[in-house]
Amino acid sequence: MHLLSASCVCVCALLFTALPLQVSSLETVIGMYGETVEIPCKSGAINAEDVLITKWKYNKGEGLSGDLLVKQRDQPFLVSATNEYKDRVSMAANSSLLLSAATLVDQRTFTCMMVIGADITENPVNVVIYKRPTDLRISDKAEELEIGKLTKVGTCIASNANPAANITWLKNNKPLVADGKGISIQAEVSVDAVTGLSTTSSLLEYSAEKEDTDAQFTCSTQPTVGPEMLSSPATFTITYSTENIVLQVSAQEPLLEGDNVTLKCLADGNPAPTSFNFHLKGELVKVENADSYTITNVSRDTTGEYKCSLVDDPSMESSKDITVQYLDITLSPSGKVTKSLDETNTLNINLQIDSSAKATVSWTKDNIKLEKEPKFTKLSFSDSGRYECNVVMGLLSRKDFFELVVEGAPVIKQLSKQRGEDGQHKVLFCEAEGSPKPAVSWSINGTLLEESPFINGKITHKIMVVPTANLTVSCTVSNKFGTDTQVINVSSHQSQDSDQTKLVVGVVVGLLIATLVIGLVYWVYMKKTKQGTWKTGEKEDGSSEEEKKLEEKVEENSQKAEV
């Protein structure tokens, strides 16, 4: 068998040497590392039955070539390679070379030679082997990043690739570009001496900002073959010194005496300070491992300016004013106040207000709002009542009152009468002022119709009487301080009818007298006119006739008057 193979190889060699050679253009085939690469032998429109011999060889370099395998028509292929290709090469049915377990060593030119009749064709094929990185990761990550300082973020590694990977750094999915200031990127490539694969390392140094808190840093690479590769994200603690400090005051609104108030100091440094100084109106209190201080049971004396500062930098401080709200009022007089008109006619009201801010005051009398503060320069019974002041300051309010009772002897303010609806009876009204409540009495028996409520020293008494004759009626009011009486004339129903008759008769007589006077004046006028008439063509008969009529008229009126 070996002798047959050797004789075949020798014959093939003689044929390839003696026959004319046709070489086609160079073609490139890409294979993946570790996989089988199929290298085609372009035969064009050549019929496979016309191919006498097919041979594959490779370029060993320095102008040398090595044989891989050979196949005669109607015979199986024979492997002629004796090196690493011995167990890795085979031939497909279409004469393509199958190269298994591809490595970077296989990146060379492979040539397919065919004997067709009296011609020899040669088809060289360039093989390139690609390999995606085994992984992409960020190593040697920093524990924290410092603001304003170029700090190592980490190293992104793309290992065992071909060609060497190009790495891009990203922050929040946006590429970072070295600028020589806040961003520095240094990349290097190492090659494995055995496999020839490349490992790319990219070092990122970055000057962080406050906005980079919770920012995600990643790195990516785009292999020659296949999708983009992206590392797992990395986040970092951003450290920076305190630049600002704020004092917060936590208390209920409004802050009243007896309440508690909590002071809290907030610093924007990271990590935040753990100790603070609290300045409590001249007193310095240091707290450790805390950022707050509580003042209990505050009073109006607690009002003032409060501060907090850093222990290691007292110049960095913040202040707040605290105001404890309070509202106190004192009303004088207060409660029930009784004044006698016999003693004095004045009453002085004094309202004192002690408050943390300006307050507003309103007054009511018997629940009716007053336009201004009550003043009593001359007391009267109508001043009696409940006076209440309401003092308001923000959400705080205070109330106090005094109930004024003005006492004195009663006085009848009005005594009046009114005819009843049926014309038969009279209604008498007696209105009086006094305090305590005066008793009301009449000099005549009557029916009590109404007694008004006793309010502000006033009372009205109303009775109904049916007089049978003209009367003089008196109303008397009295209390412990004195008595007052007034009288009124009340006429009976009959006397009123007589008076009306006299009135009618008087009116009629007056009308009759007026008629007689008018008639007499007219008669005198006509008589004078007759005497002054001279011959003017008037008829004397006519004048005498008018005189007769006038005389008759006067006589008639005289008779009526006598009746």
Side-chain angles (χ1 to χ4, degrees):
M1 181 65 180
H2 293 290
L3 292 175
L4 179 61
S5 299
S7 61
C8 176
V9 172
C10 291
V11 172
C12 291
L14 291 174
L15 288 174
F16 286 123
T17 303
L19 297 178
L21 180 64
Q22 297 180 6
V23 181
S24 61
S25 59
L26 184 64
E27 180 185 1
T28 298
V29 171
I30 296 175
M32 297 304 297
Y33 187 90
E35 298 179 5
T36 298
V37 182
E38 182 176 351
I39 307 171
C41 180
K42 289 188 175 180
S43 57
I46 300 174
N47 191 342
E49 295 180 356
D50 297 334
V51 179
L52 300 178
I53 298 174
T54 300
K55 178 183 178 181
W56 277 95
K57 63 180 181 178
Y58 67 98
N59 184 2
K60 297 174 65 175
E62 298 180 356
L64 300 177
S65 63
D67 295 336
L68 294 175
L69 52 77
V70 62
K71 179 181 182 305
Q72 296 186 27
R73 186 174 61 184
D74 299 330
Q75 296 292 327
F77 67 87
L78 297 176
V79 177
S80 55
T82 58
N83 55 9
E84 70 273 10
Y85 287 117
K86 176 181 178 181
D87 299 322
R88 293 174 53 212
V89 295
S90 62
M91 182 181 291
N94 61 357
S95 299
S96 294
L97 176 65
L98 301 178
L99 181 60
S100 64
T103 65
L104 299 191
V105 178
D106 299 327
Q107 293 189 120
R108 53 180 55 169
T109 301
F110 293 83
T111 303
C112 171
M113 302 179 67
M114 287 185 174
V115 177
I116 303 170
D119 296 325
I120 297 177
T121 61
E122 192 171 274
N123 300 302
V125 179
N126 186 44
V127 175
V128 177
I129 303 300
Y130 288 157
K131 184 179 183 303
R132 289 171 57 84
T134 302
D135 61 359
L136 186 67
R137 68 186 187 279
I138 299 176
S139 63
D140 299 331
K141 291 184 290 185
E143 294 183 359
E144 59 187 31
L145 302 180
E146 185 174 350
I147 286 183
K149 182 179 179 181
L150 203 62
T151 306
K152 175 183 175 181
V153 174
T155 302
C156 182
I157 299 176
S159 57
N160 299 325
N162 190 63
N166 290 320
I167 293 176
T168 299
W169 280 94
L170 304 100
K171 184 187 76 173
N172 294 332
N173 295 324
K174 293 183 178 180
L176 295 174
V177 179
D179 57 8
K181 298 179 181 179
I183 302 175
S184 174
I185 300 175
Q186 301 176 20
E188 64 178 22
V189 178
S190 62
V191 179
D192 188 279
V194 177
T195 63
L197 296 175
S198 300
T199 295
T200 302
S201 300
S202 179
L203 171 65
L204 172 63
E205 292 179 317
Y206 183 75
S207 179
E209 301 176 352
K210 285 185 180 180
E211 294 75 13
D212 293 324
T213 302
D214 299 326
Q216 292 188 340
F217 290 83
T218 55
C219 59
S220 68
T221 184
Q222 177 59 66
T224 307
V225 178
E228 179 185 29
M229 297 179 67
L230 185 68
S231 71
S232 298
T235 57
F236 303 93
T237 299
I238 309 299
T239 62
Y240 45 88
S241 302
T242 298
E243 296 178 354
N244 298 288
I245 189 171
V246 176
L247 176 61
Q248 287 186 346
V249 177
S250 300
Q252 67 176 16
E253 289 292 339
L255 178 60
L256 306 179
E257 291 183 304
D259 293 342
N260 298 336
V261 60
T262 298
L263 307 178
K264 187 173 185 179
C265 206
L266 300 178
D268 62 357
N270 192 26
T274 57
S275 300
F276 295 92
N277 287 329
F278 287 92
H279 305 261
L280 311 176
K281 298 184 66 176
E283 179 185 0
L284 180 63
V285 177
K286 179 181 178 181
V287 296
E288 296 182 349
N289 300 320
D291 60 0
S292 60
Y293 181 82
T294 299
I295 305 173
T296 59
N297 194 26
V298 299
S299 66
R300 62 191 64 187
D301 295 333
T302 308
T303 297
E305 183 184 39
Y306 292 78
K307 298 180 180 179
C308 73
S309 62
L310 298 181
V311 173
D312 55 357
D313 185 7
S315 64
M316 187 169 292
E317 64 179 16
S318 178
S319 64
K320 275 288 179 70
D321 289 328
I322 294 179
T323 300
V324 179
Q325 305 289 337
Y326 61 91
L327 177 61
D328 298 329
I329 66 172
T330 302
L331 178 62
S332 178
S334 175
K336 187 172 183 179
V337 180
T338 302
K339 300 291 291 184
S340 175
L341 291 181
D342 296 337
E343 298 174 358
T344 178
N345 285 335
T346 63
L347 177 65
N348 295 323
I349 304 301
N350 184 19
L351 174 62
Q352 294 182 347
I353 301 174
D354 185 15
S355 61
S356 55
K358 185 178 180 180
T360 58
V361 182
S362 61
W363 287 86
T364 60
K365 178 187 178 185
D366 296 330
N367 296 323
I368 299 175
K369 186 175 181 181
L370 300 177
E371 295 298 327
K372 57 184 179 180
E373 178 181 336
K375 294 185 180 300
F376 307 100
T377 57
K378 185 177 181 180
L379 285 172
S380 64
F381 293 117
S382 61
D383 291 327
S384 297
R386 178 187 173 94
Y387 293 83
E388 184 175 84
C389 65
N390 184 26
V391 183
V392 178
M393 185 198 72
L395 299 178
L396 293 180
S397 66
R398 298 288 185 269
K399 291 183 179 181
D400 203 348
F401 77 98
F402 66 90
E403 187 171 354
L404 177 60
V405 178
V406 180
E407 294 184 337
V411 176
I412 296 177
K413 305 299 291 185
Q414 183 178 6
L415 182 60
S416 60
K417 61 185 177 180
Q418 180 179 327
R419 181 190 294 273
E421 294 180 357
D422 58 0
Q424 299 296 321
H425 66 273
K426 298 292 183 65
V427 178
L428 305 182
F429 299 86
C430 187
E431 299 179 15
E433 287 185 351
S435 182
K437 178 182 176 181
V440 181
S441 61
W442 297 85
S443 62
I444 186 174
N445 291 329
T447 302
L448 178 62
L449 296 180
E450 180 183 359
E451 180 180 299
S452 66
F454 181 65
I455 299 175
N456 295 338
K458 294 182 178 181
I459 188 171
T460 299
H461 214 261
K462 182 168 64 173
I463 65 171
M464 180 182 70
V465 297
V466 182
T468 58
N470 294 337
L471 300 173
T472 297
V473 179
S474 65
C475 175
T476 301
V477 292
S478 62
N479 62 15
K480 66 180 181 178
F481 292 101
T483 302
D484 188 23
T485 301
Q486 285 189 16
V487 298
I488 188 172
N489 293 322
V490 180
S491 59
S492 66
H493 177 68
Q494 290 82 355
S495 62
Q496 286 184 348
D497 290 344
S498 176
D499 292 341
Q500 291 178 353
T501 302
K502 293 178 180 178
L503 179 62
V504 172
V505 171
V507 172
V508 172
V509 171
L511 289 175
L512 291 175
I513 293 173
T515 303
L516 288 174
V517 171
I518 293 172
L520 181 60
V521 171
Y522 181 73
W523 178 79
V524 172
Y525 171 76
M526 293 302 298
K527 187 174 183 179
K528 287 182 179 181
T529 303
K530 179 179 179 181
Q531 292 176 353
T533 303
W534 55 298
K535 294 181 180 180
T536 57
E538 296 180 352
K539 293 182 179 180
E540 295 182 359
D541 295 339
S543 300
S544 63
E545 187 177 351
E546 291 177 356
E547 290 177 2
K548 290 180 179 180
K549 290 183 178 180
L550 178 61
E551 292 175 354
E552 292 176 357
K553 184 71 173 179
V554 172
E555 184 178 359
E556 182 181 353
N557 290 336
S558 299
Q559 293 176 353
K560 289 182 178 180
E562 292 176 356
V563 173

